[in-house]
Amino acid sequence: MNAPSDLSMKNDDVLRVELEVFRREHRDLDEAISAMTQRATSDPLTLQRLKKRKLRLKDLISTIEDRLTPDIIA
């Protein structure tokens, strides 16, 4: 996850591309976590690290989506 914390310096097109990359990585992690939990010999530490990375990605995805969604006052 090579994303700088300051998203304000990136334009919307770059953010859209990054958003798709992060969503794909999030799905891949979800599949990896599911596969590991089904195996009896899975490493708990690796599983925990994958889950934390997945949560960080989820937060980053939410941040980018908020940035791309225009503020509409109802």
Side-chain angles (χ1 to χ4, degrees), residues 33-74:
I33 290 168
S34 292
M36 285 187 73
T37 55
Q38 292 175 0
R39 289 188 317 196
T41 59
S42 62
D43 180 27
L45 183 58
T46 302
L47 189 60
Q48 182 181 12
R49 287 180 180 162
L50 290 176
K51 287 181 178 182
K52 284 185 180 182
R53 183 174 176 98
K54 184 179 166 193
L55 285 173
R56 284 193 302 268
L57 279 171
K58 182 179 177 184
D59 290 342
L60 185 56
I61 289 168
S62 295
T63 302
I64 293 173
E65 287 174 340
D66 288 347
R67 164 87 192 283
L68 292 174
T69 305
D71 291 335
I72 300 174
I73 299 174

Side-chain angles (χ1 to χ4, degrees), residues 7-16 67-68:
L7 298 175
S8 63
M9 300 300 290
K10 297 183 179 185
N11 68 24
D12 288 353
D13 293 332
V14 171
L15 288 175
R16 284 186 184 90
R67 164 87 192 283
L68 292 174

